Amino acid sequence: MVEGAQEHVVTGEDVSASGADAEVLGYRLRSQAKHMRELPEGPLFFGRLDFGEGAGDHSRQSYHLGRLRISEHPAAPPLVVDWRAPVSRAFYQASVGDPQGVAVRRRFGWAPGSLGDSADLTGLEDEHLESDRSSDRSSDRSSGRSSGQSQVSGIVAREIERPRVGPMRDIAATIQPEQDDLVRGDLGVSVCVQGAPGTGKTAVGLHRAAYLLYTHPQRIKRGGLLILGPNRTFLSYISQVLPALGETGVRQSTLPEEIAVHPVRGIDGERAALVKHDARMAEVLRRALYAQVSSDGVDSLAVHDGSYRWRVGAGELVRIVEGVRSEEPPYGIGRERVRMRVVRCIQAQAERRAGPQSNAWVQKISRAWAVGAYVDAVWPRVRPEEVVAQLLTEERVLEAAADGLLDADEQRALLWARPPRSWKSARWSAADLVLLDEVGGLIEHPDGYGHVVVDEAQDLSPMECRAIARRASFGSLTVLGDLAQGTTPWAARSWDTVLRHLGKPDAAVVPLTTGFRVPRAVVTLANRLLERLDVDVPAGRSLRRDGELRVREAAGDVPGAVVDAVRDALEREGSVGVVAADADVDRVRAALGAAGIPAAGPDELGARVTVVPATLVKGLEYDHVVAVEPAAIAEAEARGLHRLYVVLTRAVSRLEVVHGRPLPF
C-alpha cells in the first residue's frame, strides 16, 4: 500500500487535466503517500472473527482485524479490516450469551515493542462462542478464559498489565464492551463519561475521536475535531494514540492555548480568580458590552445623494437601535443591522420618489460618511480588550455592570490594583483571557468544531465551559472526567452543572466503574479516601487481582525512605513515578540525585524514574508509584484530598506510600 501510494504520485503527474485540477490531484496523492509513510510500524492485526452459518452476508467468512484497513488494491476485499468497521463491532461485543453470529473469536498476542515480525507472535487465544455454549461456559471457567463479559481474556489482561514506559498506547485490541458502546456513539449525540480511575475514559475519548473521523470523514473535515487536555504534559503523553490509529492532523490543545490572544503575564489573587471564573461574570460582561450602545441625544440623520438630501428623523433612529437591541444578536451583527435598517429607511424614501434603486445605489448609501458616523455614535465598534480593561479599572463602570450580581467585596476583588495606561500595556492573567474570550464571543461567534473531546472536564470553571461551548455550538461533545478528581477551586460537584454551562444539558452521563489499569488493592485504598470527598460518584472496582500496595513509615527521614522505595521499584520492570507535594519536589529530586538515581521531569517521556509534582500528575500513569508524604499533598491546597485521590490512583502495578506524618486516610 505504501509503494502503491508513492507510485500514484508519479503516475498522477502524467494525468491530463487543467492546471488547477492537476494541482489538487497532486496534493491529494502526495498527502496520501506521506500519510502512509508516516504510519507507525507495529503488528498489522490483533484479532480474527470466524462467522458461522446464518450470519447473513458474513456467513462462513473470516476477517482479520487491525488498526487500519489493509488491502492489495483499493477495490479488493481487505486482508485486514479496520477495527472501526461495522463488522468489527462483534469482536468487542460478542459473547456466549449473544454470539452475534461469531463462531470463533481469536486474539493474537505480540511481544512488547513488536514491529509486526512473525517471530514476535507470542500466542493466540480462541473463544468458541456458538458451538455447544454450555460446555464452552464450563471449559472457559476452568481455563480462566473469557466467554462472557465479566472476565478479561489472558491476552487482554497481559496487554493491560504490560509495563508503562513512554507515551500512552492505543487500546484498539483491548476495548471492553461498555467502552465500545461509548466509542461508537453517534456523531450528533453529546455524551459525558464519569470514569473512575483506571477505567480508560481518556482512551475511550481518543478512540471515539478516531471512530468519528473514520465514520464521518467529510462532516468532521468541514468542522474539524479538537482534543482539549488539561496541560501540555498530558497532551505529550497522549500524543501518539491517534497517529497509531492512522489519524493525523487532529488538533490537540489546551483551553488556555485556544483562547490565548495575549501572553499571560499577570497573576490573580484567589478571590479575584474565583469571581472571574464565576458564571455571573457572563452577565456582567454582557452588560458592560451593551452599555456601549446608546441612542441618547440622537439627532435626525441627513444623507447627501448628489443634489438631493435624505433625512431620517430622530424618533425613527431611536426605534431602530432599540429594536435591534431587543433582538439580542451578536454585538457585531447588531451593529450591521442598525446600518442596514437606516439604509432601508432611506431606500424606501427614494423609491417613493423615483422608483426602485439599484444595488450599487444601496451600497453607496450604506458607505455614506453620515451613515457610518451615526452607527459609530450609537453602536460603536469595540475590542474585547477595551471592554474588559474598562470594567476592571473603572469603579463606576463595574458597579453599573455588576449591580445585583456581585457584592461590594467581589467588585473590589476584580478591580486592578495598578490600572495600566491602556489595554495594550495590561498584564493579562489567565482568568482575564477567559473574560476576553467571553466578550469576543458576544461580539462575534468564533468558528466552531464538528466535534470536541474535553478531558478532565471536572476541573473546568463555568466561564471556561462557556468558552468551550462556543466552539462546539454547532457540533457535539465528548466530555470525560471524574468528579472525585476535581482539584481546582471551582471544580464541579455535579455533571448537570458542567453540561449546562457547556450548552449540552441533555447529554447523557454514563458511568465507567470497572477498572483495568489500577490493581484492586490500590482501588480499595482509594475508595476509603473517596468516602471523605464531597462528591456523589460510584466507587470504582478493579478486575486486576495482581498488584501490590505498601505503606512505608519513615522515622524522621522521608527523603531517605523515598530513595529506598525507588530502589525497590527499580528491581522490578517498568516505569517509576515519584509524586510529591509541589513544595517537596526539589528536595526529593536532590535526595535521589545524591543517591545516584537519575530522575527526569514529567515532560521527559520514556525515562525510567520521573519526579512529578502532585499538581501535574493528573492523567498520567506509572507502573510503580511512590507517593511521598500524603499529609503534605492534602494540606497544600483547598481541595488537597481530591489531589491526593488522584496521586494514589496513578499506579498500574504497585503503589508505595512513604510518610513521616499521620496518614489522612
Side-chain angles (χ1 to χ4, degrees), residues 34-35 38 213 220-221 224-227 239 242-243 246-252 449:
K34 180 175 183 291
H35 172 71
E38 292 178 351
L213 287 163
I220 293 294
K221 185 177 181 179
L225 193 147
L226 173 65
I227 308 289
S239 62
L242 287 175
E247 300 297 346
T248 57
V250 176
R251 182 166 176 79
Q252 301 188 36
Y449 290 87

Side-chain angles (χ1 to χ4, degrees), residues 482-503:
D482 179 10
L483 295 178
Q485 298 185 54
T487 53
T488 58
W490 40 78
R493 289 172 172 79
S494 165
W495 284 119
D496 291 342
T497 303
V498 174
L499 293 173
R500 186 176 71 253
H501 291 305
L502 284 170

Side-chain angles (χ1 to χ4, degrees), residues 383-638:
R383 297 177 60 102
E385 292 86 349
E386 295 168 340
V387 176
V388 175
Q390 185 183 46
L391 184 73
L392 301 182
T393 56
E394 299 184 24
E395 188 173 351
R396 174 185 54 81
V397 173
L398 176 57
E399 184 177 352
D403 183 39
L405 294 171
L406 305 178
D407 62 32
D409 289 340
E410 290 172 321
Q411 292 180 37
R412 280 193 294 272
L414 285 178
L415 289 169
W416 281 339
R418 292 184 177 179
R421 286 191 297 273
S422 73
W423 66 263
K424 294 180 180 179
S425 60
R427 298 176 63 85
W428 302 104
S429 69
D432 290 335
L433 297 186
V434 180
L435 304 185
L436 292 174
D437 192 76
E438 179 74 24
V439 177
L442 290 171
I443 295 174
E444 183 178 6
H445 287 312
D447 294 334
Y449 290 87
H451 190 79
V452 181
V453 178
V454 188
D455 209 343
E456 303 296 348
Q458 75 281 344
D459 279 332
L460 295 171
S461 72
M463 294 298 289
E464 289 173 325
C465 288
R466 291 176 61 86
I468 295 171
R470 285 188 287 276
R471 288 156 176 80
S473 57
F474 301 108
S476 53
L477 285 170
T478 297
V479 182
L480 312 168
D482 179 10
L483 295 178
Q485 298 185 54
T487 53
T488 58
W490 40 78
R493 289 172 172 79
S494 165
W495 284 119
D496 291 342
T497 303
V498 174
L499 293 173
R500 186 176 71 253
H501 291 305
L502 284 170
K504 309 293 182 184
D506 298 327
V509 180
V510 181
L512 283 181
T513 58
T514 302
F516 312 96
R517 171 176 61 81
V518 185
R520 183 170 300 178
V522 176
V523 170
T524 301
L525 175 67
N527 284 340
R528 286 167 54 189
L529 183 58
L530 180 63
E531 297 172 358
R532 298 186 56 188
L533 306 183
D534 183 24
V535 289
D536 182 19
V537 299
R541 67 187 189 94
S542 176
L543 295 181
R544 299 269 305 276
R545 296 180 181 272
D546 63 331
E548 180 182 349
L549 169 65
R550 181 177 179 184
V551 178
R552 183 191 295 254
E553 185 172 1
D557 183 17
V558 171
V562 170
V563 171
D564 292 340
V566 171
R567 282 179 173 152
D568 288 347
L570 289 173
E571 293 178 0
R572 299 165 171 82
E573 188 179 8
S575 58
V576 182
V578 184
V579 188
D582 291 31
D584 295 336
V585 165
D586 290 342
R587 187 161 60 106
V588 169
R589 184 177 283 111
L592 292 172
I597 302 175
D603 293 328
E604 302 173 59
L605 299 179
R608 185 73 195 281
V609 179
T610 306
V611 178
V612 191
T615 56
L616 292 181
V617 77
K618 188 174 294 183
L620 306 181
E621 55 186 38
Y622 301 93
D623 292 289
H624 312 278
V625 169
V626 178
V628 183
E629 201 61 271
I633 296 173
E635 294 170 0
E637 53 190 310

Side-chain angles (χ1 to χ4, degrees), residues 37 49 88 114 138 170 224 415 493 594 662:
R37 289 196 305 270
L49 288 174
S88 303
S114 169
S138 173
D170 70 85
L415 289 169
R493 289 172 172 79

